[in-house]
Amino acid sequence: MMTLTATIASVLLSVSTFFSFDRERLIEFSQLPQVSQEFIQKNFPSHEISYIIEESELTHTSYDVKFTNGDKIEFRGNGEWKEIDCEYNGVPASAVPAKLIDYVNAKHPNNTIEKISREYSHYEVELNNGLEIVFNSNFEVLRYDD
């Protein structure tokens, strides 16, 4: 009986440890991956950082940067941006792949990009009129969503 109780306790401890690995902590700018630091310095030079959160999960790490003006950037653990959300100001053109900027300027000249996300196989761009455009990794339009 004692062995069964010890085994169950051991399994429960292992499971709780496995599921409690997720953690968030505030970090300083200097603790971001170098790639992320350079991206912010190049594309958001006048933005003041409100806070940076490092999210560590069992299989990956990500970083959320929030600026005082409300803009946000999510970075992958390797430092590459995953999502840029500039709802009130528009995403700086320097932060967006040139082919996406060219397409938006040609097809939607009166609109700005408020949000862009990058997955491994596609990009999603949200314009200030609520229209979403999905591009493949070769920057070809896959579809429009509204």
Side-chain angles (χ1 to χ4, degrees):
M1 181 69 173
M2 187 65 158
T3 306
L4 179 61
T5 305
T7 302
I8 291 172
S10 176
V11 168
L12 289 175
L13 181 62
S14 296
V15 169
S16 68
T17 301
F18 177 79
F19 287 108
S20 67
F21 188 81
D22 295 350
R23 67 178 188 147
E24 294 182 354
R25 68 183 185 116
L26 287 173
I27 64 169
E28 297 296 321
F29 181 78
S30 61
Q31 294 173 287
L32 279 172
Q34 187 66 33
V35 173
S36 302
Q37 291 179 37
E38 291 169 1
F39 182 84
I40 291 170
Q41 290 168 338
K42 176 185 175 194
N43 299 292
F44 297 87
S46 63
H47 282 54
E48 183 179 338
I49 294 175
S50 178
Y51 61 85
I52 302 170
I53 296 177
E54 177 187 61
E55 295 181 47
S56 297
E57 297 182 15
L58 188 60
T59 59
H60 69 280
T61 299
S62 64
Y63 302 92
D64 294 323
V65 177
K66 176 85 177 227
F67 297 101
T68 56
N69 68 354
D71 293 350
K72 300 179 276 190
I73 308 173
E74 181 181 351
F75 293 98
R76 292 187 173 90
N78 66 1
E80 294 180 354
W81 66 267
K82 180 179 180 187
E83 182 176 284
I84 305 170
D85 187 351
C86 300
E87 182 177 351
Y88 305 107
N89 305 297
V91 177
S94 61
V96 179
K99 289 185 179 185
L100 299 182
I101 290 290
D102 292 344
Y103 182 87
V104 170
N105 287 341
K107 301 292 184 180
H108 306 279
N110 298 323
N111 297 108
T112 58
I113 297 174
E114 287 187 344
K115 186 176 183 179
I116 182 170
S117 62
R118 174 172 59 181
E119 298 299 328
Y120 295 105
S121 63
H122 67 278
Y123 292 84
E124 293 181 22
V125 172
E126 185 175 321
L127 304 180
N128 63 329
N129 63 357
L131 191 64
E132 293 181 27
I133 310 169
V134 180
F135 297 85
N136 66 18
S137 57
N138 294 321
F139 307 109
E140 298 164 332
V141 175
L142 295 176
R143 69 179 180 278
Y144 276 79
D145 293 330
D146 57 357

